[in-house]
Amino acid sequence: MRLNAKKAVIVFCFCLILGGVLWFQRSVSANILSERDTVNDLKRQGMVLEAAVAQKRALLKLYRASLDKLTEYSLEFPGDNVASFSTIERILARNMMKIYRVNPIKSTDSDRRAVSVSCGGDYFDLLRALSDIRSSKMAMRLFSLTVKGQEEKLVDVEIFVETIMAGEWN
């Protein structure tokens, strides 16, 4: 009987050790699966972030290209209202337009200054003046133009022009 008790103790110890090994293997396996899920989540996040970085790089490239194009134009901003008025008057006078009045008006935006110009002259001189305003180095926006025919090729014109003063834009 002693032999059977020894065998029973040995079998019990063996079962106990086997159970401990199986429990240890299960806990390690659970940790490995948990870590594998974490790694997969991090890989997914990495791919999302890489896509976001690629998109940002593309936007940055586009921004730099746009900035390079803008520097080609080298726009000037007038220092005061007199500079903007005189530039507009000079363009109109150079194109043989008779200036009736030049008045500052309320702008469509608080960061901008606007001027109303009433003038008259030949229709084709007006077209050349508008072309010169467009190609002027001074930053300005023609936001309203009213042309009324008088006689054969003569017109009366009301022009509203906006500009941004130097140092006043964001």
Side-chain angles (χ1 to χ4, degrees):
M1 186 151 194
R2 208 168 243 268
L3 196 55
N4 284 339
K6 276 186 176 180
K7 283 183 183 179
V9 169
I10 291 175
V11 169
F12 177 73
C13 287
F14 178 73
C15 288
L16 193 60
I17 291 172
L18 184 63
V21 168
L22 290 175
W23 178 81
F24 178 74
Q25 183 181 1
R26 183 192 164 282
S27 66
V28 168
S29 176
N31 281 342
I32 289 173
L33 291 175
S34 171
E35 294 300 320
R36 185 180 298 160
D37 289 343
T38 304
V39 167
N40 288 337
D41 287 343
L42 290 175
K43 282 182 182 177
R44 274 189 235 110
Q45 286 178 2
M47 289 190 304
V48 168
L49 291 175
E50 285 175 4
V53 167
Q55 183 182 15
K56 299 290 183 198
R57 283 189 178 142
L59 288 173
L60 182 61
K61 184 178 178 182
L62 182 65
Y63 170 75
R64 285 183 178 156
S66 299
L67 192 59
D68 289 342
K69 284 184 182 180
L70 281 177
T71 56
E72 291 174 13
Y73 293 109
S74 66
L75 294 175
E76 298 171 359
F77 297 96
D80 56 12
N81 283 337
V82 175
S84 66
F85 296 169
S86 67
T87 300
I88 294 168
E89 286 179 335
R90 189 173 38 252
I91 290 171
L92 292 173
R94 188 175 357 146
N95 287 288
M96 306 301 184
M97 298 297 294
K98 183 178 177 184
I99 300 169
Y100 303 134
R101 73 176 189 278
V102 178
N103 294 325
I105 58 172
K106 185 174 179 176
S107 178
T108 59
D109 191 340
S110 63
D111 290 341
R112 300 177 186 157
R113 301 286 186 261
V115 62
S116 166
V117 180
S118 293
C119 58
D122 184 73
Y123 176 75
F124 295 104
D125 291 338
L126 170 66
L127 294 179
R128 280 190 290 282
L130 292 175
S131 175
D132 288 351
I133 288 173
R134 182 180 180 273
S135 62
S136 171
K137 292 220 180 243
M138 186 171 75
M140 57 181 138
R141 179 178 81 103
L142 186 106
F143 70 93
S144 178
L145 174 68
T146 305
V147 180
K148 295 178 185 172
Q150 286 182 338
E151 299 171 12
E152 198 172 301
K153 291 192 282 181
L154 297 178
V155 292
D156 278 333
V157 183
E158 185 77 23
I159 302 172
F160 296 99
V161 179
E162 282 184 332
T163 188
I164 301 172
M165 297 296 154
E168 290 188 9
W169 57 286
N170 297 331

